[in-house]
Amino acid sequence: MSDRIKMIGNKIRLMRVSKGLSQQNLAKEIGITQAHFSNIENGRCNATIDVLLRLHDSLQVPMAVFFEEIDEQDGTVLEKKKQSSGIDMDDLVAMLQLLKKAK
């Protein structure tokens, strides 16, 4: 899949984790299987507009948030940020989980 699809999946993962939701619970809430949800988060398949709309409703975020950080020309903005900061998406997810536990 394209970098843009992976970026959207990563954004969905970050929002889900920041809200303290499991893949299974959020997938059930929006009416898809956990396996399909995992594939979306990992950039192995596209999230349809319908799924994005359901995520928008469930997570209570603006639709535009799914598309932030996507460079219109080559989709490499996130990759550039990762290189400059030394932090990847797995690190961010782990940090969010630790912050949730600390509360």
Side-chain angles (χ1 to χ4, degrees):
M1 285 283 150
S2 77
D3 287 342
R4 292 175 178 164
I5 300 303
K6 290 177 183 177
M7 291 169 76
I8 291 170
N10 285 332
K11 178 70 84 166
I12 292 167
R13 177 185 298 121
L14 286 172
M15 288 184 287
R16 174 184 60 77
V17 170
S18 73
K19 302 246 182 203
L21 300 168
S22 69
Q23 279 187 346
Q24 187 172 12
N25 289 342
L26 186 53
K28 184 177 180 179
E29 187 173 322
I30 65 169
I32 63 175
T33 66
Q34 187 273 329
H36 185 200
F37 192 85
S38 176
N39 285 333
I40 291 170
E41 278 194 353
N42 291 299
R44 292 188 293 262
C45 71
N46 289 321
T48 64
I49 296 295
D50 184 49
V51 167
L52 290 175
L53 286 168
R54 287 185 262 160
L55 283 167
H56 152 76
D57 291 338
S58 180
L59 296 170
Q60 298 178 342
V61 296
M63 278 296 285
V65 85
F66 298 113
F67 306 102
E68 290 173 351
E69 299 176 354
I70 293 180
D71 186 284
E72 291 295 327
Q73 299 193 8
D74 64 3
T76 60
V77 172
L78 186 61
E79 190 62 34
K80 289 177 188 172
K81 284 184 179 181
K82 182 169 54 169
Q83 290 173 357
S84 66
S85 69
I87 297 174
D88 65 14
M89 293 305 291
D90 291 332
D91 292 335
L92 288 173
V93 169
M95 285 188 282
L96 282 170
Q97 289 171 335
L98 287 172
L99 288 170
K100 284 286 185 188
K101 288 179 183 176
K103 283 185 174 180

